[in-house]
Amino acid sequence: MTAALSRTDLASTLPRPIFLVAAGKAAWRMACAFCAHDAAGSVLAAGMDGLPRVQGLASGPRAEGALPPTVEWYEGAHPSPNRASEAAGRRALAGAEGTRQRGALVVLLSGGASSLLAVPADNLSLQDKITTARALMDAGAPIADLNCVRKHLSAIKGGRLAAAAGRSMTWAISDVHGPVPDDPSVIGSGPTVGDPTTFADALAIVRTSSALAAIPPAVVRHLERGGDETPAPGDPRLASASYEVIGTRQLAMEGAARAARERGYEVVTIAVPSAGEARVAGAAFTAEALRAVAGAGRPVCVIASGETIVHVTGDGRGGRNQEFVLGALGSLAAAPIGATLGSAGTDGIDGPTDAAGAIADTSSAGRAAAARLDPRAALANNASYDFFRALDDLIIWGPTGTNVGDVHVLLSNGDEPSV
């Protein structure tokens, strides 16, 4: 955030005053960084009318440091919005509208913003949105499809926040790795950029989803009626909106690679983002990584990243990173050399658990058998959390204050045999 701000002369670029909207898992830190930038100069200085240069809100997890008194904190929830998420969304819209005649809107987005900034469209309730999103997530909907539906159930997403403002500027940390990586229209459901999707697209996603029976009838009727479409790319209401992606999964991979090299590992990176069913992707990554380290005769670290999905069919606890590792247990057990696999969410939270992910090595299957743990049963019940907790192999480090997706790492010390 600080590096991105250093490239912009805010004092000359943005009209005064600024209404700040920070939403996402990195909202607190991004808001603090923005307000601290040039704090002795124009950003926090009061204008001639005595009003603060910056006022606004942050919706996301609390982090270290203190927000300026002119920035309100909303304890929004993720992955499902709560009343604070809705209150933050409505305050954001009101603040944006207040800049139409004077000032500018600054938006700081990070992963989770779709849930942390929520305003239901007319004739819909917050619970309608929660039920719909949860049903689609449980059915394994890709993030682009999920956010397409979210945008058409919302009064703030899909460019509507920027359309409510005059001048706007957005900085975003991306957790989007789909067909169009770091797509601004998908990050946080694109509240400040044109939306290339339509009500018809959202309706088609809902109608063809295995989750259709769980979608509230009011949502289906809303999508069938259509109505005021989200602003499309090129909409004149967005002519004064600018956007910059300042953080991606590549940055996380570069950081992991530096740390591995410092520890004496040769590094191999897999450029293609991981995707699809978590347990399948975990097995595939492990097989590819083991091929990369075969015969190396020296320590090697294989790094990949992305975002997978989980089709929830059981009632166990877990997350996509934990299922990623659990799905790879068989491949690890059959490895001819010693290897350790880890997968974790860069936000420090994996699904509805307190873990960021899990680790396993070539001994994990044997240790599980000795503890009478069945990995196939755990996968069938989506119970990866309890499986790895019993082995003391969960990664738990708490919220990190950022989110650029998931990172997967396989370590091998060379040709040492598996144990």
Side-chain angles (χ1 to χ4, degrees):
M1 187 77 235
T2 302
L5 291 171
S6 68
R7 299 191 294 267
T8 303
D9 182 358
L10 295 176
S12 62
T13 302
L14 291 175
R16 301 157 178 80
I18 291 171
F19 190 83
L20 176 68
V21 176
K25 295 177 181 177
W28 186 286
R29 289 182 175 177
M30 293 180 79
C32 287
F34 180 86
C35 292
H37 180 69
D38 197 18
S42 61
V43 174
L44 291 180
M48 294 182 64
D49 54 9
L51 294 175
R53 161 79 172 176
V54 178
Q55 59 180 322
L57 66 96
S59 180
R62 180 188 288 273
E64 73 276 2
L67 290 173
T70 57
V71 178
E72 306 168 58
W73 176 54
Y74 291 82
E75 194 171 4
H78 182 272
S80 295
N82 59 9
R83 291 299 175 190
S85 303
E86 182 175 357
R90 294 191 183 281
R91 178 72 181 102
L93 280 173
E97 290 166 358
T99 68
R100 293 197 64 83
Q101 298 301 319
R102 182 169 178 267
L105 172 70
V106 167
V107 181
L108 311 176
L109 294 177
S110 54
S114 291
S115 173
L116 294 161
L117 207 62
V119 181
D122 290 345
N123 304 316
L124 294 178
S125 68
L126 184 63
Q127 190 57 51
D128 287 332
K129 292 194 65 183
I130 291 171
T131 301
T132 301
R134 173 51 60 191
L136 291 172
M137 283 189 279
D138 286 350
I143 187 64
D145 286 358
L146 176 62
N147 283 1
C148 171
V149 175
R150 280 170 160 163
K151 284 184 278 192
H152 291 89
L153 306 182
S154 173
I156 192 171
K157 297 176 171 63
R160 295 188 187 277
L161 178 61
R167 172 78 183 275
S168 70
M169 181 175 287
T170 301
W171 285 277
I173 296 174
S174 173
D175 64 341
V176 172
H177 321 300
V180 183
D182 310 319
D183 183 352
S185 71
V186 179
I187 300 170
S189 300
T192 58
V193 295
D195 177 23
T197 69
T198 65
F199 275 99
D201 295 327
L203 180 61
I205 290 168
V206 166
R207 281 180 169 168
T208 57
S209 172
S210 60
L212 178 59
I215 304 295
V219 167
V220 178
R221 290 195 298 269
H222 173 79
L223 295 177
E224 288 174 338
R225 283 195 300 268
D228 181 27
E229 286 283 4
T230 50
D235 190 298
R237 291 174 292 176
L238 305 178
S240 296
S242 64
Y243 197 105
E244 182 182 355
V245 176
I246 61 172
T248 67
R249 69 182 182 92
Q250 282 78 16
L251 290 178
M253 292 176 69
E254 289 167 9
R258 283 194 302 272
R261 292 189 182 102
E262 289 170 359
R263 289 160 175 79
Y265 286 90
E266 178 183 331
V267 174
V268 176
T269 58
I270 297 175
V272 177
S274 56
E277 188 69 30
R279 63 188 69 182
V280 176
F285 166 76
T286 301
E288 183 175 357
L290 287 171
R291 288 193 295 270
V293 303
R298 57 190 178 279
V300 180
C301 172
V302 184
I303 302 171
S305 63
E307 185 171 286
T308 58
I309 59 175
V310 172
H311 285 88
V312 179
T313 57
D315 58 5
R317 291 181 294 173
R320 60 179 183 254
N321 286 282
Q322 295 159 68
E323 285 217 1
F324 185 98
V325 177
L326 187 54
L329 229 58
S331 299
L332 283 171
I337 58 175
T340 301
L341 169 68
S343 183
T346 55
D347 59 352
I349 301 170
D350 189 32
T353 76
D354 61 353
I359 59 173
D361 59 25
T362 44
S363 72
S364 294
R367 291 189 292 117
R372 297 184 178 180
L373 298 171
D374 185 346
R376 289 174 296 183
L379 281 172
N381 197 38
N382 301 115
S384 53
Y385 179 90
D386 291 328
F387 181 92
F388 285 113
R389 184 176 64 171
L391 295 177
D392 196 25
D393 283 342
L394 290 170
I395 299 172
I396 299 178
W397 55 43
T400 64
T402 191
N403 183 25
V404 290
D406 305 328
V407 173
H408 325 298
V409 174
L410 184 135
L411 300 177
S412 171
N413 285 325
D415 293 329
E416 296 178 7
S418 61
V419 294

